[in-house]
Amino acid sequence: VVVSDGALAVVDLTAETPVARLIPLVEDQLDAPVAEEVVLSADGSFAFVRQREVEDLLVVDLENGVVDRLVVGADPTDMDLSVDGQRLAVVARSARQVWTFDVENPYAAAAVVDFPSDRAYGSLAFTGDGLRALLYTNASLTDSLAIWDLGDDSFDERALVKPVSSIGLSPSGATAIVFHTEANAVDADADDAFYDEWAVTLMQTDGKGENRLLLPSEPAGYTVTE
């Protein structure tokens, strides 16, 4: 599946000569909202498309070519599929909520969970063990994240040494590496050792332990081993 602003292309890779079958997403393809993200259901039945500055989600029936809309909270900025493929979570930043849909029955009522504070988190990543998700933002200099327990929908909000640039998760889901910005949070202490410095935090995703490390320069990438 390939998404553009105006249409979604479905390509059968098993065909001797693959051909794109186009499914229009909007009526006016010359003035379509920017399609920022597409997620597929595990069985390939549905595609979900998030558009910039559009306060609902497109759900595309890939077999029948039907496009519908799912209502979500204000300002959806990220979405992610749970490890088991059963839940699609959408972060509604301005509403300060996470909306979760049943992937097999996306038209059922969504489950809505409020953020643990008034911080405007805009990104979400499920852990590989399917037990938790990390809620964070790299759109503002916010020096915290929230660990979402998928079992009881509770949040554990954690203070960080610096704002977040990006987050990488281990395959097991037990640990994460948080890359920090060189820039500081608004209320940062200028005498702190991490002030105006590059840094990472290695942390357990259950929130029980972390290790903060200064870096000599901006990190360019990372990898993990089994």
Side-chain angles (χ1 to χ4, degrees):
V1 172
V2 181
V3 67
S4 66
D5 295 342
L8 186 145
V10 181
V11 182
D12 182 0
L13 298 179
T14 65
E16 183 175 348
T17 304
V19 176
R21 175 170 57 91
L22 294 180
I23 302 175
L25 296 177
V26 294
E27 291 185 4
D28 186 359
Q29 296 191 33
L30 297 179
D31 189 28
V34 175
E36 291 193 317
E37 190 174 8
V38 60
V39 171
L40 300 180
S41 63
D43 65 358
S45 297
F46 295 102
F48 302 89
V49 181
R50 182 177 61 81
Q51 300 166 299
R52 183 184 301 170
E53 297 181 351
V54 175
E55 294 192 357
D56 50 18
L57 201 66
L58 297 182
V59 54
V60 184
D61 183 328
L62 295 177
E63 181 177 351
N64 300 308
V66 176
V67 180
D68 285 318
R69 293 185 178 271
L70 299 175
V71 174
V72 297
D75 191 19
T77 54
D78 193 20
M79 61 182 179
D80 198 10
L81 199 63
S82 63
V83 175
D84 60 11
Q86 296 181 0
R87 302 200 289 182
L88 177 74
V90 181
V91 181
R93 180 169 57 192
S94 295
R96 295 189 171 46
Q97 295 173 327
V98 180
W99 288 55
T100 304
F101 296 88
D102 181 343
V103 172
E104 293 185 358
N105 184 19
Y107 304 106
V112 181
V113 181
D114 293 327
F115 286 4
S117 70
D118 62 356
R119 297 203 167 194
Y121 298 118
S123 299
L124 178 142
F126 285 102
T127 60
D129 54 14
L131 300 178
R132 301 174 185 87
L134 301 183
L135 195 62
Y136 64 98
T137 183
N138 54 16
S140 62
L141 295 175
T142 300
D143 55 352
S144 68
L145 58 74
I147 303 171
W148 178 22
D149 188 316
L150 303 178
D152 58 10
D153 280 337
S154 64
F155 285 97
D156 178 15
E157 196 165 32
R158 312 285 297 184
L160 298 172
V161 67
K162 300 200 73 172
V164 178
S165 172
S166 62
I167 290 181
L169 292 165
S170 66
S172 69
T175 57
I177 180 169
V178 181
F179 294 91
H180 297 291
T181 60
E182 184 182 32
N184 312 290
V186 174
D187 57 353
D189 182 358
D191 294 326
D192 188 276
F194 289 87
Y195 195 84
D196 282 347
E197 299 287 349
W198 294 103
V200 295
T201 297
L202 305 175
M203 62 175 292
Q204 294 175 260
T205 55
D206 60 8
K208 293 181 179 179
E210 67 177 33
N211 185 19
R212 303 168 177 180
L213 302 172
L214 284 171
L215 297 178
S217 61
E218 181 180 6
Y222 78 101
T223 189
V224 296
T225 59
E226 294 182 358

